[in-house]
Amino acid sequence: MTAQDYAALSVSLLTIGGAFIAMTRWLVKHYLQELKPNGGSSVKDQVNRLESRIDEIYLILLENPTARRGKK
């Protein structure tokens, strides 16, 4: 291999590596954005809504112990 071949190989490897790093950075940034509340459509907002509903169900079960066992 000549010096020109080595240069072309190194440039191509650097380009592929740079593209991989850019893609990984974009994916991480995109997924981290889903973990921040944004007013209703993020995963964090959905988890918060589910937690509040589960808390309400838990309180209902504590107030009415016969609901847990079923009606007899």
Side-chain angles (χ1 to χ4, degrees), residues 31-52:
Y31 287 127
L32 286 178
Q33 191 70 24
E34 283 294 316
L35 299 177
K36 296 179 188 173
N38 66 357
S41 65
S42 70
V43 174
K44 180 67 173 174
D45 291 326
Q46 294 171 6
V47 168
N48 288 340
R49 279 194 301 271
L50 287 173
E51 284 179 347
S52 66

Side-chain angles (χ1 to χ4, degrees), residues 1-17:
M1 286 179 64
T2 65
Q4 187 175 5
D5 292 336
Y6 284 118
L9 180 64
S10 64
V11 167
S12 63
L13 290 176
L14 286 173
T15 302
I16 291 170

